[in-house]
Amino acid sequence: MELQAIQQFTNRSNSSTDSSHSVFQDMLSELVSGETLDGTSQKLGSLLATVETEAKSILQSRNAASMTPVTPAPPTEKVTGESGTNFDEIISQAATLYKLPEKLIKSVIKQESDFNPKAVSYAGAAGLMQLMPATARSLGVHDATDPEQNIMGGSKYLSQMMTRYDGDIQLALAAYNAGPGNVDKYNGIPPFKETRNYVQSVYGTFLS
């Protein structure tokens, strides 16, 4: 289109002087041949060549990237946490069998072991619900570190305390921590700092 415009302009300029026609023809020849006095067309040609080279490089990079196989991310491992994800089914069965709220069982487990089935206290209490050896035996628990046995045994004991104290959750929790003998002795939550903190923490988690 530029050449057409130049040619049209040239046609319109036929009436100009011979010297003007000659100068214009020289300029046109230089433009076509790429040899202008200031080298502008040469610079333009060099720039276009550089742009073309860069464009080809970008296209080649994109094509190579599109052909690179994508490695899928490894599956996320199932991790046991506060929610007791790996123990939900056992907790649900225990809650149904012993007529306890699932959240109450989870709240006790959270406080006792933070859902660690291998937890053992300095006093010898073991497992998710931290059963003492004698208590575990009385509940038919042979391996306190086995999640199913521990949850079933601990839930059974908690249910017994709930029945003993007419469904009073806080008294049942106090008995779970300090023993029913101390609850009966003080006719309520024993004045032990550990037991009071225990009841407050577990009950608070249960209500949250």
Side-chain angles (χ1 to χ4, degrees):
M1 292 180 69
E2 291 178 354
L3 288 175
Q4 291 175 2
I6 293 171
Q7 289 171 356
Q8 291 174 5
F9 180 78
T10 303
N11 291 335
R12 294 194 193 100
S13 302
N14 286 334
S15 61
S16 301
T17 64
D18 293 339
S19 60
S20 298
H21 178 75
S22 177
V23 172
F24 182 77
Q25 288 292 349
D26 291 341
M27 292 176 63
L28 180 59
S29 297
E30 290 174 353
L31 178 62
V32 173
S33 64
E35 295 179 354
T36 59
L37 295 177
D38 59 358
T40 301
S41 61
Q42 293 178 353
K43 293 180 180 179
L44 179 59
S46 176
L47 177 61
L48 289 174
T50 301
V51 170
E52 183 179 2
T53 301
E54 291 295 332
K56 288 181 179 180
S57 177
I58 292 173
L59 287 175
Q60 290 174 354
S61 297
R62 289 182 177 177
N63 290 336
S66 64
M67 297 176 64
T68 303
V70 178
T71 304
T76 303
E77 295 183 2
K78 194 174 184 181
V79 180
T80 301
E82 295 184 6
S83 61
T85 304
N86 291 346
F87 313 121
D88 281 349
E89 186 175 350
I90 302 173
I91 292 171
S92 178
Q93 292 175 355
T96 300
L97 180 61
Y98 296 112
K99 298 179 174 57
L100 293 171
E102 289 186 29
K103 191 171 182 180
L104 180 59
I105 298 174
K106 289 183 178 182
S107 298
V108 171
I109 294 175
K110 170 62 180 174
Q111 181 67 29
E112 293 286 357
S113 67
D114 197 22
F115 292 90
N116 178 9
K118 303 298 183 181
V120 178
S121 73
Y122 66 90
L128 291 167
M129 299 187 75
Q130 292 289 278
L131 301 178
M132 293 295 290
T135 303
R137 286 194 296 271
S138 70
L139 296 168
V141 176
H142 304 292
D143 181 3
T145 62
D146 177 76
E148 184 173 4
Q149 290 188 47
N150 192 287
I151 291 173
M152 286 297 180
S155 297
K156 180 179 180 179
Y157 184 72
L158 183 60
S159 177
Q160 291 174 351
M161 297 302 102
M162 288 283 285
T163 299
R164 181 166 181 158
Y165 297 107
D166 300 321
D168 189 317
I169 294 177
Q170 295 189 63
L171 289 181
L173 291 174
Y176 192 96
N177 176 260
N182 282 316
V183 175
D184 294 342
K185 176 181 178 180
Y186 292 100
N187 194 30
I189 299 175
F192 309 146
K193 183 177 181 179
E194 177 187 339
T195 300
R196 290 185 177 276
N197 289 340
Y198 177 88
V199 172
Q200 182 179 6
S201 178
V202 177
Y203 192 64
T205 301
F206 173 66
L207 294 178
S208 64

